[in-house]
Amino acid sequence: MITLLATALTLGLQSKEISAYYAKGFEDLTITTRVLKGDQRELVKINDDFGQAYRFSTTTVRVKEPFMLRVDSKIEETRMTYTLNGTTQLMAVPNLRLKQRTNLSNAPGRRQTMLDFGFLTASLFDGSLYTSKFVRLDRATSAVVFDIGYVSKYNDTSRHRVWIDPVKHYIQKREWYNRTGNLLATFTFESPVEKKGIWLPTMLTVRNVDNVIAGQTRYEDMKVNEGIAESIFSVK
């Protein structure tokens, strides 16, 4: 009875505004991602390109507010860099003297954001990319549930449903739905750690529409708010 009462009180105190669950004070993050499992036959059921990131055993990822991302990876002696700055994407393979730029202004679904790493920041909801809608307070998990979709200018009805830890403010689970409302994948974020007052998950498990584990990734060597220079996110 006491447990039920405590749960009810906890749920009743949770805000229905997504801004209450931002990773406040976040500026930048550096992590090493280590692939623990990448089943290409199961990953392709999510979409044709989803499994590409799982071909690299480890990558170095840097993200910075607002909307900056750099991923450095290596296969044998070939280095590859993926950079996203705002809506411009740059794929570079220095050994081959290859650079390919892509404008993602009309392809919001191809832009990786903090949402993909299991937490939210204010820039995601500044009116240029995402909008949110409160769904419910989940009594089973005590999580706060929101639907996250794209702003109307994109004419893209795909969306994400997220379960947010009401105390640590990281995403516990994310469901990804396509434009017709069909579930594509479920992402579970676990084992959070606190870095400079911000809670970040260190394990990601991806399940496809058949609820089969298609991929697992561990986040290592996490560094928060180290003052990453904006110059490394250049897409020139």
Side-chain angles (χ1 to χ4, degrees), residues 56-200:
F56 304 99
S57 58
T58 61
T59 59
T60 299
V61 179
R62 299 177 182 89
V63 291
K64 185 178 180 69
E65 284 281 84
F67 300 114
M68 286 178 273
L69 167 75
R70 174 168 169 155
V71 179
D72 291 282
S73 53
K74 184 178 180 181
I75 296 180
E76 296 179 349
E77 298 304 314
T78 301
R79 295 184 298 109
M80 285 168 278
T81 300
Y82 169 92
T83 308
L84 183 63
N85 194 324
T87 60
T88 302
Q89 171 189 287
L90 173 66
M91 298 288 291
V93 184
N95 295 19
L96 303 178
R97 297 182 180 179
L98 173 66
K99 284 188 175 183
Q100 180 180 345
R101 293 179 186 82
T102 307
N103 186 341
L104 303 181
S105 296
N106 296 316
R110 294 176 59 187
R111 294 172 60 184
Q112 282 187 278
T113 68
M114 309 307 176
L115 181 66
D116 297 288
F117 298 97
F119 62 102
L120 302 175
T121 59
S123 65
L124 300 179
F125 302 94
D126 67 358
S128 65
L129 186 60
Y130 290 127
T131 185
S132 68
K133 178 182 178 181
F134 173 77
V135 177
R136 68 175 184 273
L137 301 172
D138 192 329
R139 295 186 180 278
T141 63
S142 297
V144 188
V145 185
F146 288 88
D147 277 345
I148 296 175
Y150 297 110
V151 295
S152 58
K153 71 176 182 179
Y154 292 114
N155 195 30
D156 185 338
T157 56
S158 59
R159 63 181 174 88
H160 307 270
R161 176 161 290 186
V162 297
W163 282 253
I164 303 173
D165 185 295
V167 177
K168 297 178 179 178
H169 296 183
Y170 74 97
I171 296 172
Q172 298 174 331
K173 184 173 75 169
R174 172 167 66 94
E175 293 179 343
W176 180 24
Y177 294 87
N178 64 15
R179 297 184 185 209
T180 57
N182 294 318
L183 178 66
L184 296 175
T186 301
F187 305 81
T188 304
F189 298 91
E190 299 174 294
S191 305
V193 296
E194 185 180 10
K195 298 287 184 178
K196 296 184 179 179
I198 300 170
W199 285 91
L200 304 170

